[in-house]
Amino acid sequence: MKFKTRMIATTAAFALLVPPFLFAAEDSMNSSSKVTAVDSAVMPDAVGYDEVPAMLAAAQPTVSSPSSGHTYRSYPRAELFLGYSFLRSVPMPSIGNRLVRLNGGSTSIAFNLNRYFGLVGDFGGFDDSKLQITGTGANAPRVADASGTAYTFMAGPRLSFRHDRITPFVQVLFGGIHASQVTLSNCSGVLCTPLPSENSFAMTAGGGVDLNIHRHIAIRIVQAEYLMTNFANLSTGDRDMQNDLRLSSGLVFGFGGNSPALAIDYACSISPAVAFPGDPITVTGTAMNLNPSPKKVVSYTWSTDGGTISGTSSTATVDTTTAAAGSYTVKGHVSQGIKPGQMADCSASFNVRAFDPPTISCSASPSSVNPGDSSTISSNAASPQNRPLTYRYNATAGSISGSNSSTMLSTVGAAPGLITVTCGLTDDKGHSVTATTNVNVIAPPPPPPPALPPAPLATSMCSVSFERDVTRPTRVDNEAKACLDDIALNLQRSADAKLALVGNQDAKEKATADREAKLKHSTKIPSDAAQRVVNTKQYLVNEKGIDPSRILLYTGSDDAKTVTTTLIPVGATNPVAGDAPVE
């Protein structure tokens, strides 16, 4: 049980944990082999030396299609490996293990059942050239030339992980090992053959990495395996388990299989890249490197995270009716099978943009009307995306008729002043805007004032003459009274009228008055003209009862001995107001 547990644990560790790069840095190992001799007298400790020549691999780039950028590699039906191998015990030195250091070569042929699984037959040959024998007492250790061989014959399953450039693999092999007798050089006798010929069960577990440089050639960078043998103890004859490590490197030749196939490359384009809700979007997929065989059915599928997509060919349509404004992605998939390289994906993005609201301006013609007249209201509207538009109008007074881009405002029954008209606009997406304009209803002019009677005019009455009485040139005589009686009658008829009396004197009277004033050194001497209007007024007041305040007295400039009379009705202009008043 202990033997089986150790074997399984060691096999798993080498198969899964030994990385290939641990051995890529080793430069060389010598070609000598190493064996351990065991006899009845001593327990020898054999030590040899080794070399492993380095093998440098130059990786060539894989030629790929300009459209795909990579290929998927088909697997060969058979793979032949030829290379160098090195065996060493674990640990080293290992007492009782006759395979301590051996150099040689190995070959294997793998038959691949599919891309991943195959069956491997492996053969290896190794050579001994040195033997170190140690002893006790006087027997000092020494190294002697020797000759011997060992051959392995194994088979088992292999699991490969194939990529474009490299193919890692793991395998487990079972079989046997034949070790020939080891003979000391330049020696004769029974003691010259310390190790006899022997056969044993053998098993390896491990893996490696192949670098693909051509469709039929690869470099096995390293193959590292745990090797278990079951040689007998020469002292007791009992078989025991020995642990070894086998390292290999070389060339791999592939046979059969298909040529490397170009992987499907898939690109998709979208048009238009920016759309409004409800606008259709077309997405087109372009597949490269499809298999032209009619048996290879091409399948297309599409998906999107915005709107609804339909289509099962290389072209699909996205319905954006239900998509909100934002950025979305369309994903496409094309396939001609389920194997690597027979399917590909693509994606493209598009944006759904919200509709822009409409714009409107409003005007009135004419902007000022008389009461009861009409004005034309015009809406200058536009929708950036040419959406259907609905017009509406509202007025603070008057009435609106019509719901198109132009309507009429009637001011019948509207009071004078400003009427505000609101022009409204709504598109089919619910966007609403308004604008306003004003119409001024002009107030009617006030009615003309009633016609006024013509202003009364002053009337010249009869003139009173003072020519007849030379001795009393200022006395009102009977002839003058007749004139004044008629004037008094008119004053009595027009109770609010006034009478202007203007007294005149001739030149001779004026000269006499001036001369007397000089003699008396005074200008306060009444003139005849002034005395005449005073006497005339006195007659009208004393004799006819006329209110004295209604009589205005003046002196005029006429060259005559007269008093002129003027009847001035209320509202009439006094035509003699410019003459000199008499107090």
Side-chain angles (χ1 to χ4, degrees):
M1 183 65 181
K2 180 179 180 181
F3 167 78
K4 292 183 179 180
T5 303
R6 290 178 60 190
M7 180 182 69
I8 295 173
T10 308
T11 301
F14 277 95
L16 300 177
L17 301 178
V18 178
F21 63 83
L22 291 178
F23 309 101
E26 292 189 24
D27 294 333
S28 64
M29 295 184 183
N30 62 39
S31 59
S32 65
S33 64
K34 180 180 178 182
V35 298
T36 300
V38 180
D39 59 21
S40 58
V42 296
M43 181 70 72
D45 184 9
V47 179
Y49 55 92
D50 57 274
E51 286 186 354
V52 177
M55 302 183 68
L56 302 177
Q60 298 181 359
T62 301
V63 178
S64 61
S65 165
S67 61
S68 65
H70 67 281
T71 63
Y72 69 91
R73 187 179 181 87
S74 64
Y75 64 93
R77 293 300 182 184
E79 292 175 289
L80 175 64
F81 167 69
L82 298 173
Y84 163 82
S85 293
F86 166 72
L87 285 181
R88 59 169 284 183
S89 62
V90 180
M92 188 189 72
S94 179
I95 297 177
N97 190 345
R98 63 183 293 164
L99 305 177
V100 178
R101 285 184 184 269
L102 299 178
N103 292 282
S106 63
T107 182
S108 66
I109 185 167
F111 297 95
N112 297 313
L113 303 181
N114 55 40
R115 181 178 174 83
Y116 305 101
F117 187 75
L119 298 177
V120 182
D122 182 273
F123 171 78
F126 305 90
D127 182 54
D128 299 334
S129 62
K130 297 287 183 179
L131 178 66
Q132 179 175 325
I133 302 176
T134 61
T136 59
N139 297 321
R142 66 186 181 90
V143 176
D145 293 334
S147 64
T149 58
Y151 301 95
T152 59
F153 309 87
M154 292 177 288
R158 173 184 290 176
L159 185 62
S160 300
F161 306 92
R162 301 184 185 277
H163 301 278
D164 291 344
R165 298 298 303 276
I166 62 172
T167 302
F169 65 90
V170 293
Q171 62 186 21
V172 179
L173 306 179
F174 303 91
I177 182 171
H178 170 74
S180 68
Q181 65 181 9
V182 177
T183 303
L184 296 175
S185 301
N186 302 319
C187 181
S188 61
V190 177
L191 296 179
C192 294
T193 306
L195 294 177
S197 176
E198 190 176 4
N199 295 317
S200 170
F201 169 80
M203 182 198 78
T204 64
V209 177
D210 294 343
L211 176 64
N212 306 312
I213 61 175
H214 186 269
R215 56 173 293 194
H216 294 302
I217 301 176
I219 296 176
R220 183 153 294 173
I221 300 174
V222 68
Q223 179 176 328
E225 300 166 283
Y226 162 75
L227 171 63
M228 186 204 76
T229 58
N230 193 25
F231 290 109
N233 187 314
L234 298 180
S235 299
T236 64
D238 295 333
R239 290 189 176 273
D240 196 5
M241 185 181 75
Q242 296 88 40
N243 299 318
D244 302 280
L245 175 65
R246 181 172 76 164
L247 300 177
S248 303
S249 182
L251 296 178
V252 179
F253 301 92
F255 303 93
N258 298 323
S259 300
L262 291 173
I264 295 177
D265 186 71
Y266 198 34
C268 51
S269 60
I270 200 162
S271 179
V274 178
F276 293 97
D279 292 347
I281 292 178
T282 301
V283 57
T284 303
T286 303
M288 305 291 291
N289 309 323
L290 291 175
N291 192 327
S293 173
K295 296 182 181 180
K296 295 292 184 178
V297 178
V298 183
S299 175
Y300 296 90
T301 57
W302 299 95
S303 65
T304 182
D305 56 359
T308 304
I309 194 167
S310 60
T312 56
S313 66
S314 60
T315 301
T317 301
V318 180
D319 183 359
T320 61
T321 302
T322 59
S327 179
Y328 301 97
T329 301
V330 173
K331 295 182 179 180
H333 179 78
V334 61
S335 65
Q336 271 190 317
I338 60 174
K339 296 180 180 180
Q342 293 181 337
M343 61 188 71
D345 298 302
C346 70
S347 64
S349 298
F350 67 92
N351 288 305
V352 176
R353 177 182 169 189
F355 286 105
D356 296 322
T359 59
I360 187 174
S361 61
C362 196
S363 62
S365 179
S367 58
S368 295
V369 296
N370 293 319
D373 291 348
S374 297
S375 177
T376 300
I377 308 299
S378 299
S379 293
N380 183 16
S383 171
Q385 285 78 51
N386 297 320
R387 306 304 306 176
L389 302 176
T390 300
Y391 296 86
R392 65 184 185 278
Y393 298 91
N394 184 42
T396 57
S399 59
I400 295 287
S401 60
S403 58
N404 296 320
S405 60
S406 180
T407 188
M408 296 297 295
L409 168 67
S410 174
T411 63
V412 173
L418 286 178
I419 297 177
T420 300
V421 179
T422 302
C423 306
L425 186 67
T426 304
D427 64 12
D428 62 338
K429 297 301 178 181
H431 297 118
S432 182
V433 292
T434 59
T436 60
T437 187
N438 293 321
V439 176
N440 183 32
V441 178
I442 303 172
L452 297 176
L457 300 176
T459 305
S460 295
M461 307 299 286
C462 60
S463 178
V464 179
S465 175
F466 292 88
E467 292 286 348
R468 290 176 293 273
D469 191 347
V470 176
T471 60
R472 291 178 292 180
T474 61
R475 184 180 69 89
V476 177
D477 57 15
N478 291 331
E479 184 177 352
K481 292 177 181 179
C483 170
L484 294 176
D485 292 342
D486 185 58
I487 291 173
L489 181 61
N490 282 282
L491 288 173
Q492 292 170 354
R493 292 174 181 172
S494 300
D496 54 356
K498 291 183 179 295
L499 178 65
L501 301 178
V502 180
N504 299 296
Q505 61 186 3
D506 59 15
K508 183 178 179 181
E509 289 177 319
K510 183 176 181 181
T512 301
D514 291 339
R515 188 168 50 252
E516 290 179 357
K518 289 179 180 181
L519 292 176
K520 296 180 178 181
H521 303 286
S522 176
T523 57
K524 298 294 185 178
I525 300 173
S527 65
D528 291 342
Q531 191 63 51
R532 289 179 179 128
V533 297
V534 170
N535 294 341
T536 303
K537 175 182 178 181
Q538 187 176 11
Y539 174 78
L540 292 173
V541 172
N542 296 334
E543 299 297 330
K544 297 298 181 180
I546 302 301
D547 184 355
S549 62
R550 296 175 62 190
I551 302 173
L552 306 176
L553 304 181
Y554 301 92
T555 58
S557 58
D558 291 348
D559 186 15
K561 298 177 181 180
T562 60
V563 172
T564 61
T565 61
T566 302
L567 184 64
I568 305 172
V570 175
T573 301
N574 181 3
V576 297
D579 291 337
V582 176
E583 295 181 1

